[in-house]
Amino acid sequence: GDEGLALTRDVDYDLIFLDHMMPGKDGIATLHEMRADEQSHNLRTPAICLTANAISGAREQYIREGFEDYLTKPIESEQLEELLLKMLPKEKVQIRETEEEADAEGGQPDGGKADIAKLMGEYPGLFGIEQIDVKKALAGIGSTEVYLSLVRMFYENVVEKTSELDGYLKRSDLKSYTIKVHALKSSARTVGAMELGRKAQLLEDAGKKEDADYIRAHHGEMTDEYGQIALLLKEAISKESSGDEDAAKEKADASKPEAGEALMQSFYDRIRSAADEMDGDLLDEIFGEIDAYRLAKEDADCVGKIRSAAAQFDFDRILEELS
């Protein structure tokens, strides 16, 4: 919340999204402080609350607190798009037809099914995981690329997130535990782990009621399932290269021109600028250009860490790696 408030004092935004449950200062408190801050550039900027609270009357509650609207998590791409069209300044909106939409209109009315078929062909193991409903997850996300990125984030963060939850429970910090298990619930539903999301929801509800006995009785079962699902997802989308493929890759890399110090500095400067602007598309473009060159080991390691951070939309970590 405090980081968001600092940004609103320096940047003019067209629209602000605030998560309701955040550690320390929640979304409602952050919004109230922003509206009262005369230094803010965003006193009248529309604000949207992101929440898992889909109960009757939630919209009226958030509007009373000062939000213009709200979206329930996991976010559905079509609802987000509709809200952007309604809230953004008209002069800043351009409607364009994507290639996928054109294909669908030209004879693929089941474009979504085509995406699922493609994903099934490339990663059949995903569809064999009993605890994962890939089709339901894709219906909310609308992009196989984004889904795969979220799956990677889900299993790459399992050790860190489990350790955090264990620590909060050990210290009897139920408030922080509740916020973290709330985030895990949303992540689980986003990748299609609906039963895991349900168990996290029950732990979140117990945290809100300060029912430590329930949490201690069910925490281990939930985190064990979290770890098992993360392992299954990792195995499903991690393709092992054969010896022939490795040899072909080494041969291809050897034929690339070497990226000199000046060129790498240019790449790093552009990456820094893209991270400052939180522009993931531009980062992908830069990585594509870097792939045309053979990198020194130090640069290859650095770019690898930056790419990992970019896959998790962690722009602050990108800037830390660059420094």
Side-chain angles (χ1 to χ4, degrees):
D2 286 328
E3 291 176 11
L5 288 169
L7 289 171
T8 64
R9 295 188 186 104
D10 297 326
V11 183
D12 293 311
Y13 292 104
D14 295 308
L15 188 60
I16 292 174
F17 292 91
L18 279 169
D19 198 0
H20 183 180
M21 290 189 68
M22 299 190 290
K25 192 171 292 178
D26 71 13
I28 292 174
T30 302
L31 178 68
H32 290 174
E33 195 167 325
M34 183 185 78
R35 298 291 196 220
D37 184 0
E38 294 184 359
Q39 297 180 52
S40 173
H41 286 217
N42 296 274
L43 292 174
R44 296 177 182 82
T45 302
I48 309 301
C49 188
L50 304 181
T51 176
N53 185 10
I55 61 173
S56 176
R59 185 174 187 274
E60 290 74 15
Q61 173 195 342
Y62 290 122
I63 288 176
R64 280 197 302 271
E65 296 290 355
F67 289 97
E68 273 65 33
D69 211 330
Y70 85 116
L71 284 174
T72 56
K73 297 185 293 185
I75 305 299
E76 292 191 8
S77 55
E78 288 185 3
Q79 292 180 350
L80 173 60
E81 203 166 88
E82 288 175 7
L83 189 143
L84 290 172
L85 288 170
K86 181 173 73 172
M87 292 288 185
L88 286 174
K90 301 305 178 189
E91 67 274 11
K92 293 195 175 183
V93 175
Q94 290 183 317
I95 307 297
R96 66 180 177 86
E97 186 181 75
T98 65
E99 290 180 10
E100 290 82 0
E101 289 169 340
D103 289 342
E105 291 173 7
Q108 279 191 334
D110 60 341
K113 292 181 181 178
D115 285 342
I116 291 173
K118 180 182 177 185
L119 191 65
M120 191 177 291
E122 294 179 352
Y123 302 98
L126 277 175
F127 295 83
I129 302 174
E130 184 180 353
Q131 303 95 321
I132 296 293
D133 189 336
V134 179
K135 294 180 180 179
K136 193 165 188 176
L138 280 175
I141 296 169
S143 164
T144 55
E145 290 78 10
V146 173
Y147 176 69
L148 290 171
S149 175
L150 293 170
V151 166
R152 291 188 183 95
M153 288 171 59
F154 186 81
Y155 69 67
E156 287 173 356
N157 292 332
V158 62
V159 174
E160 177 186 349
K161 300 304 180 188
T162 302
S163 177
E164 287 178 344
L165 286 167
D166 289 344
Y168 289 133
L169 183 56
K170 186 176 181 180
R171 296 191 295 274
S172 297
D173 184 353
L174 295 187
K175 182 179 179 182
S176 297
Y177 181 93
T178 302
I179 290 171
K180 287 296 180 181
V181 82
H182 167 83
L184 173 56
K185 172 195 68 180
S186 298
S187 298
R189 290 173 175 173
T190 300
V191 300
M194 301 306 173
E195 178 61 17
L196 178 63
R198 186 188 69 82
K199 291 178 180 178
Q201 172 76 69
L202 293 173
L203 288 167
E204 178 189 344
D205 294 342
K208 290 176 179 177
K209 298 174 185 174
E210 299 186 354
D211 187 351
D213 290 339
Y214 179 91
I215 294 174
R216 291 193 176 93
H218 296 88
H219 167 80
E221 176 191 348
M222 189 276 294
T223 53
D224 285 349
E225 184 171 337
Y226 180 21
Q228 291 166 6
I229 292 173
L231 181 61
L232 290 169
L233 287 171
K234 184 176 182 179
E235 291 174 347
I237 69 171
S238 298
K239 293 184 175 180
E240 296 296 332
S241 298
S242 68
D244 291 342
E245 289 173 333
D246 289 339
K249 184 178 183 302
E250 289 179 12
K251 184 177 180 180
D253 286 344
S255 67
K256 295 176 181 177
E258 185 173 355
E261 184 176 343
L263 179 59
M264 286 309 303
Q265 187 58 55
S266 171
F267 281 135
Y268 290 140
D269 288 343
R270 291 171 61 199
I271 290 171
R272 181 178 287 105
S273 177
D276 279 332
E277 296 295 327
M278 295 185 285
D279 190 336
D281 290 336
L282 180 55
L283 283 170
D284 287 340
E285 182 181 316
I286 297 168
F287 294 145
E289 293 178 32
I290 291 174
D291 287 341
Y293 294 89
R294 187 172 73 256
L295 307 187
K297 185 179 185 306
E298 183 179 355
D299 288 319
D301 290 343
C302 183
V303 170
K305 291 176 182 177
I306 290 170
R307 290 182 105 141
S308 175
Q312 300 181 44
F313 309 104
D314 192 341
F315 300 104
D316 287 336
R317 184 150 64 91
I318 293 173
L319 296 173
E320 288 173 10
E321 293 294 345
L322 289 171
S323 68

